[in-house]
Amino acid sequence: MTGTWFLMQDFTFTAEGPLRLGQVLPHWTKHTTILAAIGSDAAEDIVLPAIRTLVEPNHAHHQSKSRSDSLSLWAKFEGIASGSTHTDIGKKHIRDYSKTDHEIRSFADPLLPEKVTAIANIPNVRKHIASGMFGKRPVYIVLGLRIATSSFTVTKEESSSFTIEAKGSGPPLGTTPGEVGGRVKHDNVERMTDSYDTAPGIVFAYQMYVIRNHRTGSETELFTHKSGFLTGEGGEQEEPLVLVDATKEEIDDDLDEEVEYESVQIGDDELCIYLLPKK
């Protein structure tokens, strides 16, 4: 299944847990905060499309993030001596996930405009949409799940390095012409590795739709569906809504909650987004 996938921060949620198809979330990172569960409670009259299941065998995943900072200083004392220092500081985060089959669950058909309008007008969802600091807030609907059918191994490696090098030169003692110099270098590397096996049947990643207000300007090519209206008090129509895929560009435009994340291109038509490790 192509598109943008959001990798779980930890692998403790099963397919029967809180993250299910059709759940309405306040933010793409808050998969345990449910604004509405379609088909139950206030949303019991909204019927979701049928679910389609595909199996992707032997799925493996690797992600890495590295950073290096360098600082160089050079000084010369005219006629006396010269010196320089160079410092390198680096950090690296690596995650490896061993092979397992993925069961991919998704809607067989797109959400129709009237269903999107009904979802946006659920009281909890409406309240969240109206709570934005920069206008109406978007909401997210889970439209796809990747479920690992068997246990797999998660390996985490965190490493840091520190290197400092100092050089200096100057005239020798006495009257003999020439120059003498010296060099000192210090290296320090720390590495921590942790691995564990997950339970079978856990959620590996998820895909989402975004319900948001129509923006001014030319953005028609982003639309999945133009969907009805958000109704105001007394049934008055407010602003038109659109339903779009949750992509990197869409989450970057969600200004109410800015989150540091990384993205990795997988092949030609898939993107994986994951949160950075907590410092």
Side-chain angles (χ1 to χ4, degrees):
M1 185 175 175
T2 61
T4 302
W5 288 94
F6 297 84
L7 196 67
M8 296 292 289
Q9 237 182 324
D10 55 65
F11 301 107
T12 56
F13 296 93
T14 66
E16 288 72 38
L19 189 65
R20 303 183 188 183
L21 292 179
Q23 303 285 54
V24 184
L25 311 179
H27 194 260
W28 63 272
T29 61
K30 298 181 178 179
H31 46 72
T32 59
T33 304
I34 310 301
L35 293 176
I38 307 303
S40 62
D41 300 328
E44 62 183 355
D45 295 331
I46 303 174
V47 179
L48 291 171
I51 296 175
R52 175 180 56 193
T53 301
L54 301 173
V55 175
E56 183 182 280
N58 297 323
H59 181 94
H61 187 74
H62 170 87
Q63 65 188 60
S64 64
K65 167 70 175 177
S66 61
R67 176 181 174 180
S68 180
D69 298 313
S70 298
L71 175 65
S72 296
L73 297 175
W74 180 85
K76 181 177 182 181
F77 302 94
E78 190 66 33
I80 303 177
S82 63
S84 66
T85 62
H86 182 81
T87 303
D88 275 312
I89 301 173
K91 290 185 177 181
K92 192 170 187 179
H93 308 278
I94 297 175
R95 299 289 185 275
D96 273 308
Y97 311 100
S98 64
K99 286 184 179 180
T100 184
D101 292 349
H102 279 190
E103 182 182 283
I104 302 175
R105 300 180 187 177
S106 61
F107 293 133
D109 298 300
L111 293 180
L112 297 176
E114 57 269 22
K115 293 187 185 296
V116 175
T117 303
I119 291 169
N121 283 292
I122 297 170
N124 280 348
V125 178
R126 278 184 52 82
K127 183 179 179 181
H128 175 78
I129 291 174
S131 67
M133 295 177 60
F134 306 99
K136 303 288 180 154
R137 298 186 69 173
V139 293
Y140 298 80
I141 304 176
V142 180
L143 73 93
L145 295 174
R146 277 185 176 270
I147 300 166
T149 59
S150 60
S151 173
F152 64 94
T153 302
V154 180
T155 303
K156 303 179 180 180
E157 182 178 313
E158 311 284 340
S159 61
S160 61
S161 61
F162 177 80
T163 301
I164 184 169
E165 182 178 4
K167 299 178 182 178
S169 63
L173 296 175
T175 58
T176 306
E179 187 178 75
V180 295
R183 175 185 177 190
V184 178
K185 185 177 181 180
H186 174 73
D187 289 303
N188 183 55
V189 177
E190 294 182 358
R191 180 176 287 105
M192 181 179 68
T193 302
D194 179 38
S195 67
Y196 63 92
D197 293 332
T198 70
I202 59 92
V203 177
F204 183 83
Y206 53 101
Q207 283 186 318
M208 291 175 293
Y209 283 134
V210 182
I211 298 178
R212 61 165 171 78
N213 283 83
H214 173 64
R215 298 173 186 145
T216 58
S218 176
E219 60 164 8
T220 325
E221 69 277 6
L222 295 177
F223 292 174
T224 306
H225 299 285
K226 289 185 177 179
S227 354
F229 290 81
L230 185 69
T231 56
E233 295 183 5
E236 294 181 359
Q237 290 184 341
E238 289 184 355
E239 300 174 56
L241 296 171
V242 294
L243 179 71
V244 298
D245 291 324
T247 62
K248 183 179 185 299
E249 292 75 21
E250 286 293 329
I251 66 174
D252 285 344
D253 285 334
D254 190 346
L255 301 178
D256 280 275
E257 294 189 51
E258 295 187 38
V259 180
E260 290 189 3
Y261 68 87
E262 286 295 323
S263 59
V264 177
Q265 189 70 40
I266 304 174
D268 296 329
D269 49 12
E270 283 191 330
L271 186 74
C272 179
I273 289 177
Y274 60 94
L275 294 175
L276 294 174
K278 294 182 179 179
K279 298 178 180 179

